[in-house]
Amino acid sequence: MEIIEVSPRDGLQNEAVLLPTKTKVELIGRAVDAGARRIEAVSFVRPDAVPAMADAEAVMARVRRRPDVSYIGLVLNRRGFDRARESAVDEINVVVPVSETFSRRNQNAGAESLMTMAEEVAERAAGIGLPCSITLAVAFGCPFEGEVDPERVVEFSMRAARAGAREVALADTIGVAVPAQVRSTLTALRAEFAGRPGPLLRTHFHNTRNTGYANAIAAVDLGVTRLDASIGGVGGCPFAPQATGNIATEDLVYLLERSGFETGLDLDRLIETARFLGEALGRLVPALLPRAGGFPAPAAGV
Ligand code: ZN
C-alpha cells in the first residue's frame, strides 16, 4: 500500500492557524522519518487566495531532498506549473473539480475549461518527464449541485489518462461518499478501462461524516493501492466548518497493517508526529490512534 502524505498541503491549507515555514519543514521531515515516500508538500496557488500556502517556494527550498522521496506540488493552472518546475518538485498534482458550479466558485472557470487546462499541463509535464497526477475534486458529491454523475468521473479520468497523467485521484473533497458509491464509481471506471491501459487509481477521502475509513477499505477491496491521508487527520472541510479533515495517516496505517497490508510507515513515529502537529496547531487532532495507541501494545509492562 502506498500512502500519500497530504498533511503539509491539504491538512494545513484548511487549518485556521498558519504555521511558520520552519514548522512545515519539520512536519515534512518527520513524515519522511516515519517512512512517508510520497508527500504532497505544497500548493502553487495564489497567495492571496490561500495564505497558508504562500511560502510554497520557501518550503521546497528547505526540505531535505532524497532520491527515494517524492515531493508533490499541487497545481491549478499553467502559472502554478511554472512555479512547480522552478521549485524542482518531484511530481505535480493538478486538481480539476468534476462539478460545474464548484469549478466556477472555487477556481473561477468552468469544469470543461479547467479539464482542458489540466490536459495541457499534463502534456507539458509528460514532455519534460515530470510525473503528473490529476485529482478529480468533488468526485462523490458537490456542495452546490448535490450528487455527481459517475459517468462524468469516468469521462474526466479517460481524458486525464489520454493527456499523459499517470495517476488519477478520486477526491471526496467534502466528505460525503459512502462505500457503496465508492464501489460503483470504481467499478464503472474499471469497466471503462477494461483491456486497455488506464491510469493508476488513487483515492482521497475526508472523514467529514465518519465514512472516510470505510470508503478507504471499500477502495482497497477493489484493488486501489494508493491512498491519500493526513497525519493527525488534520485539515477540515471549507463547506462544513466544524468538520474533521482528511482520513488520518496513523489511523489508516493501523487499519491496513492489522488487516495484513504493508504500508512501510512506522506507527509510533506517526503518532509522535501527530502530537507535534497538534501542539503546533494548538488543538487536539481528530485522529484516534494518538489517543488510544496501537495494538498489541509494546510488551513493556508484561
Ligand atoms: Zn482534500
Side-chain angles (χ1 to χ4, degrees), residues 6 9-10 14 171-173 204-206 236 246:
V6 301
R9 203 284 302 167
D10 203 17
N14 288 306
D172 186 18
T173 310
H204 178 100
F205 293 119
H206 281 246
N246 297 82

Side-chain angles (χ1 to χ4, degrees), residues 2 4 38 91 93 131-136 153 156-158 160-162 164-171 186 189-190 193 196-204 222-228:
E2 183 175 78
I4 296 96
R38 281 181 84 195
E91 50 178 309
N93 180 25
C132 172
S133 303
I134 291 184
T135 290
L136 301 181
V153 176
F156 275 25
S157 301
M158 295 277 292
R162 261 190 250 124
R166 66 164 193 175
E167 191 182 69
V168 169
L170 304 184
L186 286 173
L189 263 175
R190 210 186 248 171
F193 286 105
R196 52 185 155 153
L200 296 163
L201 289 179
R202 167 175 159 190
T203 55
H204 178 100
L222 280 169
V224 169
T225 59
R226 294 150 180 259
L227 301 143
D228 289 4

